[in-house]
Amino acid sequence: MSPKITVELLRQLRLAMRNSKYFSEPIQAYIVPSGDAHQSEYIAPCDCRREFICGFNGSAGTAIVTEQHAAMWTDGRYFLQASQQMDNNWTLMKMGLKETPSQEDWLISVLPENSKVGVDPWIIAADQWKNMSKALTGAGHALVAVQDNLIDAVWEGRPERPSTQLITLGLDYTGMSWQDKITALRAKMTERKITWFVATALDEIAWLFNLRGSDIEYNPVFFAYTVVGMNTIRLFLDLKRLAEPEVRNHLQLDSPSKPELSIQTFPYESVYTELQAICAALGPKDKVWICDKASCALTKVIPKVHRSPIPYTPVCLAKAVKNTTEIQGMKMAHIKDAVALCELFAWLEKEIPKGTVTEISAADKAEEFRSQQKDFVGLSFPTISSVGPNGAIIHYRPLPETNRTLSLSEVYLIDSGAQYRDGTTDVTRTMHFGSPTPFEKECFTYVLKGHIAVSAAIFPNGTKGHLLDSFARAALWESGLDYLHGTGHGVGCFLNVHEGPCGISYKTFADEPLEAGMIVSDEPGYYEDGSFGIRLENVVLVVPAKPKYNYRNRGSLTFEALTLVPIQVKMMNTDMLTQKERDWVNEYHRQCRQTVGAELERQGRKEALEWLMRETQPII
């Protein structure tokens, strides 16, 4: 892929940094985070400012431009991709490596004395602002809020903010009405003596009101804010979306059941002034809940004495623990997804020898098979379809200029998922359609051992996900190998494929303890640069476990696999597996056969069923 040429854009941005139209004094540096005003991971085209200025389009990264320098920080998933997408005006800062300075340290080292560093307060989270400001102030510099976004100022033809049609979800999908969710939220507020709650995360708002949209590709969310009081509900969004009778009825806009469940609607842009008005009328003891990752702009509207910032909101915590309806929906979605993937792999087996299948055509075929399933809405992220050396690029996305042909001599990795009305899927399988080398099999087996170690783990209630991260790495570590990404993330229910507050990663210690009903991924990997990539991912449900003893009555938990797609035995070196691990593989394949086999039969998909039966033969 050829990098984006950024000479002229950087020249224009540096002119804007000195332009008195935007501020009284020029700024010496400008920070371009990758998020939007809601700190979303995946963003709408109009918010892709970091990609616009530097060319790198991965989901995580921060660009900083000074008079003389331009640097971009990203993590291990994206080192390779970023180095290919950025031109030589940019320095790639590899986060997580010892020699890489933090953004603050780098700024302090390159800036002249008493510099001003600008950032758009709407797209920097309050907690990031606080840390950055403290470090810069300590070194004699200042972090300043620039109300006009300077990237927007130099971006000709910037797309409009999307405003798609809203989808209403009934109880058969959600298991709980929005009215009951609001009531439960208010109970939490009362418990903590909180008068107001401000929600800015798009998936929290969608979940709270049992609505979905398609403003952001792959994420069924819509641009909105909500402010909930003890007897008022304010919803901020493009009011044109409320013309649909179905949406009006769902939200009871014309006939609220109770006055305290009456929703007042306001234009999306008016959240700032409305929140100002609410804050102006606060009593001395009133407290306002807002997530510490909300935008700095909104957070600062709330006077410090009334502000009660929290790392995870009660909505985020409630959304993470799925109810029985949501769990049932997720199970159904994963069965449909498995049907589509069995179809895909049976098709690949037949077509690859002809030499006509490419990474892109395989990804398109996966989408085609998924789209034939009931309640399919779209993909849950761009498909990572990678063969041979492309597999070593952790978040690779095939493009015409990088597109390789699948063959019988290279490892193929496909990480893909879908949004169905009843659930969200995310699954990775690594396979070989010829004969894998002994080293490929050895590495695959270490990854499989790690996957099983997490999946079969039994752990006490109250355990945080990061404690399980090393379970996934132990087999790799023992041979001096590792991988540079987390082991698992929370998964939404017909929502974002990545959601907090739980996960399995060495990177974060602020995750919430795992509890029954939470859904996470289990996805260790190994990547040999220039050669191949291996990852094995299932989505798993946290369920109660019943071990022999119950220390201090704490209770125990384990995982149940929701993903039911065969794991290729050909890639395993079965001699390296313990009896317990073989039993796990056989039991997993028995479940695939039983559950997915029945559905393949019901749908009359004979070839895929034959493939499934062949791939799930017990290993001895």
Side-chain angles (χ1 to χ4, degrees), residues 477-543:
W477 282 351
E478 215 171 296
S479 296
L481 303 177
D482 200 4
Y483 53 94
L484 296 180
H485 59 74
T487 300
H489 54 82
V491 180
C493 185
F494 184 30
L495 261 180
N496 295 357
V497 74
H498 295 158
E499 72 167 22
C502 53
I504 303 173
S505 177
Y506 60 96
K507 288 188 223 177
T508 168
F509 294 95
D511 52 331
E512 285 292 308
L514 294 166
E515 56 179 289
M518 285 182 169
I519 293 178
V520 294
S521 68
D522 169 10
E523 50 177 313
Y526 176 69
Y527 309 90
E528 182 74 20
D529 277 352
S531 196
F532 62 83
I534 291 164
R535 186 162 59 256
L536 188 51
E537 173 185 24
N538 280 352
V539 170
V540 294
L541 168 71
V542 183
V543 292

Side-chain angles (χ1 to χ4, degrees), residues 41 59-60 75-79 393-395 484-485 498 507:
E41 179 189 12
S59 66
D75 62 66
R77 294 171 298 172
Y78 293 121
F79 293 167
I393 303 171
I394 297 168
H395 269 218
L484 296 180
H485 59 74
H498 295 158
K507 288 188 223 177

Side-chain angles (χ1 to χ4, degrees), residues 178-461:
W178 67 259
Q179 290 91 339
D180 287 347
K181 288 178 179 181
I182 292 275
T183 306
L185 167 62
R186 284 177 173 154
K188 287 273 183 234
M189 288 163 68
T190 305
E191 204 178 287
R192 298 290 172 87
K193 302 188 170 49
I194 299 286
T195 353
W196 295 93
F197 168 63
V198 181
T200 67
L202 301 182
D203 61 335
E204 293 184 20
I205 296 163
W207 180 86
L208 185 60
F209 291 104
N210 292 336
L211 289 171
R212 299 293 186 268
S214 52
D215 288 2
I216 295 179
E217 207 179 357
Y218 313 113
N219 297 247
V221 295
F222 53 94
F223 285 104
Y225 293 97
T226 187
V227 180
V228 178
M230 287 321 284
N231 36 31
T232 63
I233 305 165
R234 290 171 171 81
L235 179 61
F236 302 84
L237 76 174
D238 176 4
L239 297 176
K240 290 199 294 291
R241 314 174 106 151
L242 301 175
E244 292 284 321
E246 197 183 320
V247 176
R248 298 192 74 79
N249 291 343
H250 174 82
L251 294 174
Q252 297 191 330
L253 293 182
D254 305 311
S255 54
S257 52
K258 295 181 186 154
E260 69 273 19
L261 290 171
S262 162
I263 299 175
Q264 297 168 272
T265 58
F266 298 86
Y268 174 71
E269 293 75 18
S270 65
V271 65
Y272 189 84
T273 46
E274 274 300 312
L275 189 56
Q276 268 180 326
I278 289 169
C279 290
L282 290 172
K285 287 217 166 99
D286 287 352
K287 288 277 183 206
V288 181
W289 249 349
I290 189 165
C291 180
D292 62 10
K293 288 166 215 53
S295 74
C296 175
L298 269 193
T299 305
K300 292 214 162 160
V301 173
I302 307 161
K304 213 163 180 182
V305 332
H306 299 293
R307 197 189 305 155
S308 185
I310 38 175
Y312 296 111
T313 73
V315 175
C316 173
L317 295 166
K319 171 168 64 63
V321 180
K322 314 298 189 259
N323 62 42
T324 48
T325 306
E326 291 171 319
I327 290 169
Q328 200 39 49
M330 285 293 267
K331 286 183 174 176
M332 287 311 302
H334 281 82
I335 293 168
K336 292 184 287 195
D337 215 52
V339 165
L341 286 176
C342 288
E343 288 249 87
L344 174 75
F345 295 138
W347 180 83
L348 286 175
E349 218 167 66
K350 225 173 47 210
E351 297 298 318
I352 288 172
K354 300 176 187 170
T356 54
V357 182
T358 67
E359 291 168 334
I360 291 177
S361 70
D364 290 346
K365 200 71 183 171
E367 182 171 3
E368 182 190 316
F369 285 133
R370 283 185 162 110
S371 69
Q372 295 166 10
Q373 294 300 314
K374 180 175 178 271
D375 277 347
F376 170 83
V377 177
L379 299 185
S380 54
F381 57 95
T383 299
I384 299 169
S385 170
S386 55
V387 69
N390 287 345
I393 303 171
I394 297 168
H395 269 218
Y396 173 80
R397 184 179 177 177
L399 297 166
E401 59 268 33
T402 60
N403 194 20
R404 286 173 73 92
T405 301
L406 275 62
S407 74
L408 299 177
S409 59
E410 289 183 315
V411 173
Y412 177 60
L413 181 158
I414 180 166
D415 181 348
S416 61
Q419 297 286 5
Y420 302 93
R421 268 195 190 224
D422 45 8
T424 302
T425 67
D426 179 2
V427 45
T428 310
R429 288 294 179 266
T430 304
M431 16 225 329
H432 204 298
F433 294 92
S435 302
T437 67
F439 181 59
E440 287 164 350
K441 287 173 73 163
E442 182 187 354
C443 294
F444 182 91
T445 310
Y446 293 141
V447 172
L448 173 64
K449 281 169 160 293
H451 179 91
I452 295 171
V454 171
S455 201
I458 293 176
F459 48 94
N461 254 316

Side-chain angles (χ1 to χ4, degrees), residues 31 33 35-40 117-134 143-147 198 200-201 225 271-272 275-276 279 290-304 307 309:
I31 301 173
D36 58 13
H38 305 269
Q39 277 55 57
S40 311
V117 177
V119 67
D120 178 343
W122 284 94
I123 57 174
I124 185 169
D127 57 349
Q128 288 171 302
W129 172 282
K130 197 172 157 188
N131 298 337
M132 177 75 80
S133 184
K134 197 173 159 187
L143 185 62
V144 296
V146 181
Q147 294 305 331
V198 181
T200 67
Y225 293 97
V271 65
Y272 189 84
L275 189 56
Q276 268 180 326
C279 290
I290 189 165
C291 180
D292 62 10
K293 288 166 215 53
S295 74
C296 175
L298 269 193
T299 305
K300 292 214 162 160
V301 173
I302 307 161
K304 213 163 180 182
R307 197 189 305 155

Side-chain angles (χ1 to χ4, degrees), residues 12-13 16-17 19 21-22 30 49 52 148-156 158:
Q12 289 176 18
L13 178 60
M17 286 160 61
N19 190 334
K21 184 169 120 187
Y22 303 116
Y30 190 61
R49 299 179 178 96
F52 174 77
D148 293 292
N149 190 292
L150 298 188
I151 300 295
D152 297 358
V154 302
W155 187 345
E156 281 179 31
R158 179 167 163 257

